[in-house]
Amino acid sequence: MTAMTARTATTAAAGPKRRRPRIGRALLLLVFAGYFLLPLYTAVDFTLGGSRRNMGHTLSIWTGLIHQDGFTENLMTSLKIAAVTVVLLLVLMVPTMAWLHLRLPRMRRLVEAVCLLPMAIPAVVIANGILGAFKSWPEAITGSWWILVFEYVVLALPFTYRSLDAGLSAIPLATLVEAARSLGASWPATLWRVVVPNIRTAIASAGILGAALALGEFTIAHLLLLDTFPVWTDQAGQQDGEVATTAAMLILFLSWLLLMVVSHLGRSRTAKTPKLQKTQTRTMQSQKPEKVGTGE
Amino acid sequence: MTAVREPAPAGASAGAGSPAPAEAASRFRSPWRRTGSATGSGSGAHSGATHRTRPLDLLGLAPFAVYVAVFLGAPAYAVITAAFQDDSGNATLSNVTAALQDPYRHAFSVSIQLSVISAVLGAVLGLALAVAVSGARRDGFVHRAVTTASGVLAYFGGLPLAFVFLATLGPQGLVTKWLNSAGYNLTQHGFVLWNMAGLVLVYLYFQIPLMLLVIFPALDGLRPQWEEAARNLGASRFQYWLRVGGPLLAPPFLGAVLLLFANAFAAYATAYALSTGSVPLVPIQIGSVMSGNVLAGQQNIGNALGLWMIVVVGLVVVAYALLQRRTARWLR
C-alpha cells in the first residue's frame, strides 16, 4: 500500500473525481459514520449506567469490575496467553521466513499457501479436531492454556506471513547477511543483530496482531471449556449484561490500542521510505527504488 | 474472532521480483558457511545455478513444517477421518450424508444465506464507501480516519461486537428504548438481533471494513492516467468504467465477495453470543454437538459438518486466492 501513496497523492487532487457531487458523498459518509459510531456510543453509555431508569451516569460498573469474581484471574490468563503466543509466533516464524527468503525462494509460494490454510479451516472445526487429535496427549497441555497458545500461533500465520514477507522483501537481505557473515558473525548473531533490527516494523506489527488475536479469541477457548477473559465475559453476560458489556469494551479498547499502534507503525514507515530508498539505490544499482517500500 | 484475516493482499507478491539479481547471486554463495567474499554479487555469472533448491536447505523449514503438521494438520486430519467413521470407528458414509439432511440442511441454508447476503451487501457498501473516500484528499482527515478505522474494525469480530450491539439494539439497548419511547417497537416489527436481518446488520460491522482493506489497494492501483487516456480517446465516463475500470476491478471485487463470504460462513463467536447458541448456523451446530447435544449413533456428526465446512470455505478461499493473483498482475 505504501508504494502507491506517493504516486497517487500528486495526481488525485487534479484527477477528474473532484467534480463529483459533494453533497451526495458527504451524506454517504455521514450514514456510514452513524452506523459505525452509534453502537460504540450506546455501548459506552450502557457501561456508564445509561440504561438505568432513575440514575445519572456513573463509573461504578467500571471500577466494580475488578471486584467481580474471576475478573483479575482470567484477565491475567489472557494476557499471559497473548504474551506467550507472540513470543512463540516470532521465534518460529522469523527464522523460518528469513531462511525462506535467503535459501529457498522457490518454496515461497508453497509456504504462503500453507500459512493461508487457517483461513480455509474455520476455528470451530479446529476446535473440534483438537478433541479428536490430541486425545492421547497429556492433560497438562490439552487441558490447559498451552493448547490455546499453540493454536493461536496457527491462527496468526496468515497475517504473520504477509507482514514478515513484506518486511523481508523490502530490505537487501542477502547483502546484509553476507556482510555480517563475512565480518565473522555467526548465523544466530546475524539473525538477531542484523536481520531482526532491519525488519523490526514488520515484526512489531505481526506480534501486535498476534497479541490482539490471542486477547480476543473466544471460539476455541469456549469450545474446549478453557477459562480465558472472553470466555469469562460471556459467562458474566448470562447474569449481568452491564458487567459483560463493560468487560467486552475493555477487550475492545485493549485490542484497538494495539491495532492503532500497528497502523501508526505502517504510517511512520511510509514517512521513512525515501531515506531507505536512497541508501539502497546506492548499494544496489539493480534495484528499482519505487518497489522498495512495497506492502504492509 | 473469526477465522479469516486479510491484512493487505498487495504485499505478498509485489515485492517478490525486486531484489532478485543481488539476492540470487549471493544465494549461490552460501550465507550459511562462509565461502569467498561478497564482491561480485549481482554479476549474474552463476545465474544458471541460482534458483536450485538444495535438499539440505529444506531442513531449515523443518520446525515450521512440523509445527503446522501437528497443530493444524493433525486436527484437520482428525476431523476428516472421523467424519467417515461411525461411533465405534468403522468406516461409514452415514454421518457425511446425515450432515446434509435436516436439521443440518436447514443450518447450511441459513448459514449460506447469511454469508451471501452479508458478503454482497458488505462488498457493495464497502465499495461505495471506498469510492467516496478515494475522492477525498489522501492526507486529509476523512481518508486517514477511514483507513485507520477499517484496519481496526476488520479485526473486530467475536464477542465484544455482540455485546456492543446488544447494548444498542438488544432488549435493554439504548436505541431500542429510544424507538420505544417514539412509539416504535422493534420486536413487534419482526426485528431481533438474532434473526437474519439482525445478524446481517451486525456482520456488516466487520464485513464493510474488511471490504475496504481488500479493495483500497485495487482502487488506488487504478491509475488516473488510464482514465485520462480513455477520455482523451473520446470515451465517456460511463464507457471508461464499462471498458477499462470495470473489467480491471471485477476480479478484486469478486475476490473480495468470496473472502467476505468465507469470513461470515466461518464466524462463530458473534452469532453465539448474540443468541446464546440458538441460531441455526453450521458453526453453532458444531459447537452444540461438541457440548453433547447429539443423537446416539451420530457421535461424529460434528466432524462431518466440519468436513463440509472445510469443503465450502476451502473452495471459496482457493477461488479468492486465484482472483487475487490475477489482480496482482496489474496491481503494483
Side-chain angles (χ1 to χ4, degrees):
Chain A
M1 244 190 268
T2 49
M4 293 143 193
T5 338
R7 184 176 62 232
T8 20
T10 47
T11 41
K17 272 172 189 159
R18 262 203 131 175
R19 308 207 179 270
R20 281 271 161 84
R22 295 206 165 168
I23 300 166
R25 206 182 74 198
L27 210 66
L28 190 74
L29 288 175
L30 214 64
V31 170
F32 276 110
Y35 171 67
F36 282 105
L37 293 179
L38 184 65
L40 292 178
Y41 167 77
T42 53
V44 170
D45 188 79
F46 193 75
T47 65
L48 297 175
S51 72
R52 300 174 188 181
R53 219 151 272 264
N54 40 20
M55 283 171 65
H57 287 72
T58 165
L59 270 173
S60 65
I61 308 170
W62 280 91
T63 51
L65 213 50
I66 199 158
H67 302 299
Q68 293 289 333
D69 224 15
F71 169 84
T72 320
E73 235 175 291
N74 287 304
L75 185 60
M76 284 304 156
T77 309
S78 276
L79 290 173
K80 184 169 63 183
I81 291 175
V84 181
T85 302
V86 170
V87 171
L88 184 60
L89 179 69
L90 295 178
V91 166
L92 179 74
M93 288 312 286
V94 172
T96 300
M97 291 299 292
W99 188 251
L100 190 69
H101 271 250
L102 274 174
R103 303 293 292 275
L104 297 163
R106 279 185 159 190
M107 306 289 284
R108 271 164 70 169
R109 276 260 164 103
L110 179 70
V111 173
E112 183 186 9
V114 170
C115 284
L116 293 184
L117 271 182
M119 284 169 54
I121 305 177
V124 190
V125 182
I126 294 181
N128 203 358
I130 290 167
L131 288 187
F134 304 136
K135 260 182 222 150
S136 54
W137 282 40
E139 182 75 13
I141 293 174
T142 55
S144 76
W145 54 276
W146 276 104
I147 190 68
L148 294 180
V149 168
F150 292 140
E151 294 304 329
Y152 293 171
V153 168
V154 168
L155 293 188
L157 285 179
F159 55 74
T160 305
Y161 177 89
R162 293 218 191 266
S163 181
L164 295 180
D165 183 66
L168 287 167
S169 300
I171 60 166
L173 180 66
T175 312
L176 290 174
V177 169
E178 262 191 48
R181 299 289 296 153
S182 59
L183 288 171
S186 65
W187 170 243
T190 307
L191 189 69
W192 182 246
R193 295 173 62 183
V194 177
V195 178
V196 167
N198 270 295
I199 56 166
R200 58 181 185 276
T201 314
I203 291 178
S205 38
I208 290 170
L209 288 172
L213 180 142
L215 272 181
E217 208 281 342
F218 172 73
T219 309
I220 296 182
H222 165 73
L223 290 173
L224 295 182
L225 308 176
L226 294 167
D227 283 329
T228 62
F229 192 62
V231 173
W232 177 83
T233 303
D234 173 53
Q235 282 158 1
Q238 285 160 23
Q239 282 140 30
D240 188 335
E242 282 177 345
V243 169
T245 310
T246 311
M249 294 305 280
L250 189 66
I251 307 178
L252 201 66
F253 290 144
L254 268 180
S255 48
W256 281 4
L257 203 69
L258 292 174
L259 294 166
M260 294 288 250
V261 175
V262 175
S263 109
H264 178 75
L265 284 177
R267 243 207 307 285
S268 59
R269 213 176 72 187
T270 319
K272 266 186 232 145
T273 318
K275 231 189 283 169
L276 204 83
Q277 281 177 2
K278 220 184 286 169
T279 48
Q280 283 197 350
T281 37
R282 223 186 295 130
T283 49
M284 302 182 60
Q285 293 297 332
S286 57
Q287 200 168 328
K288 279 189 197 158
E290 77 195 54
K291 274 194 171 181
V292 170
T294 29
E296 258 303 90
Chain B
M1 284 233 161
T2 44
V4 181
R5 291 296 173 236
E6 184 66 0
S13 48
S18 47
E23 192 190 283
S26 60
R27 211 178 292 120
F28 179 70
R29 248 179 275 274
S30 156
W32 176 247
R33 296 169 218 90
R34 267 178 286 154
T35 52
S37 71
T39 52
S41 297
S43 64
H46 310 296
S47 54
T50 47
H51 283 291
R52 189 174 299 151
T53 303
R54 296 190 204 169
L56 266 181
D57 286 349
L58 288 174
L59 276 180
L61 285 186
F64 168 76
V66 169
Y67 192 94
V68 173
V70 171
F71 291 110
L72 183 64
Y77 178 79
V79 166
I80 293 168
T81 49
F84 294 103
Q85 289 170 358
D86 64 17
D87 289 6
S88 43
N90 302 313
T92 175
L93 281 177
S94 66
N95 287 311
V96 182
T97 49
L100 296 181
Q101 305 299 319
D102 275 330
Y104 305 114
R105 200 179 130 112
H106 178 61
F108 270 104
S109 112
V110 175
S111 259
I112 288 175
Q113 266 181 53
L114 172 63
S115 309
V116 168
I117 296 174
S118 76
V120 172
L121 268 183
V124 170
L125 292 173
L127 183 67
L129 183 56
V131 170
V133 171
S134 71
R137 289 214 8 235
R138 188 156 299 272
D139 48 351
F141 170 76
V142 171
H143 198 277
R144 275 173 57 172
V146 171
T147 41
T148 306
S150 59
V152 170
L153 290 175
Y155 289 87
F156 170 39
L159 205 65
L161 181 62
F163 281 109
V164 164
F165 267 91
L166 280 172
T168 307
L169 286 163
Q172 299 296 315
L174 204 62
V175 173
T176 314
K177 287 187 173 174
W178 287 348
L179 290 172
N180 267 341
S181 55
Y184 187 89
N185 189 314
L186 275 174
T187 323
Q188 275 172 15
H189 286 81
F191 180 93
V192 282
L193 277 173
W194 43 91
N195 66 14
M196 185 62 74
L199 284 172
V200 168
L201 187 76
V202 178
Y203 276 31
L204 283 179
Y205 206 86
F206 57 77
Q207 297 281 56
I208 293 175
L210 181 60
M211 178 66 185
L212 285 175
L213 276 193
V214 181
I215 209 70
F216 256 137
L219 268 185
D220 283 350
L222 278 186
R223 282 181 236 161
Q225 289 93 319
W226 295 341
E227 180 165 359
E228 285 157 17
R231 303 271 244 171
N232 285 342
L233 291 169
S236 67
R237 178 177 208 91
F238 175 75
Q239 279 173 319
Y240 163 73
W241 280 111
L242 186 72
R243 299 282 168 89
V244 184
L248 278 170
L249 275 188
F253 181 81
L254 273 181
V257 172
L258 292 175
L259 183 73
L260 264 55
F261 175 91
N263 196 26
F265 195 75
Y268 170 84
T270 310
Y272 171 85
L274 277 178
S275 68
T276 43
S278 66
V279 200
L281 296 175
V282 183
I284 306 262
Q285 298 278 8
I286 296 180
S288 138
V289 170
M290 281 178 74
S291 2
N293 297 324
V294 63
L295 299 169
Q298 290 199 338
Q299 298 289 333
N300 280 325
I301 192 80
N303 292 309
L305 288 169
L307 172 71
W308 285 115
M309 274 194 94
I310 295 179
V311 170
V312 173
V313 180
L315 285 179
V316 166
V317 168
V318 166
Y320 159 73
L322 292 178
L323 283 168
Q324 201 63 52
R325 194 158 289 171
R326 196 186 153 84
T327 312
R329 263 194 260 149
W330 58 267
L331 185 74
R332 284 193 307 140

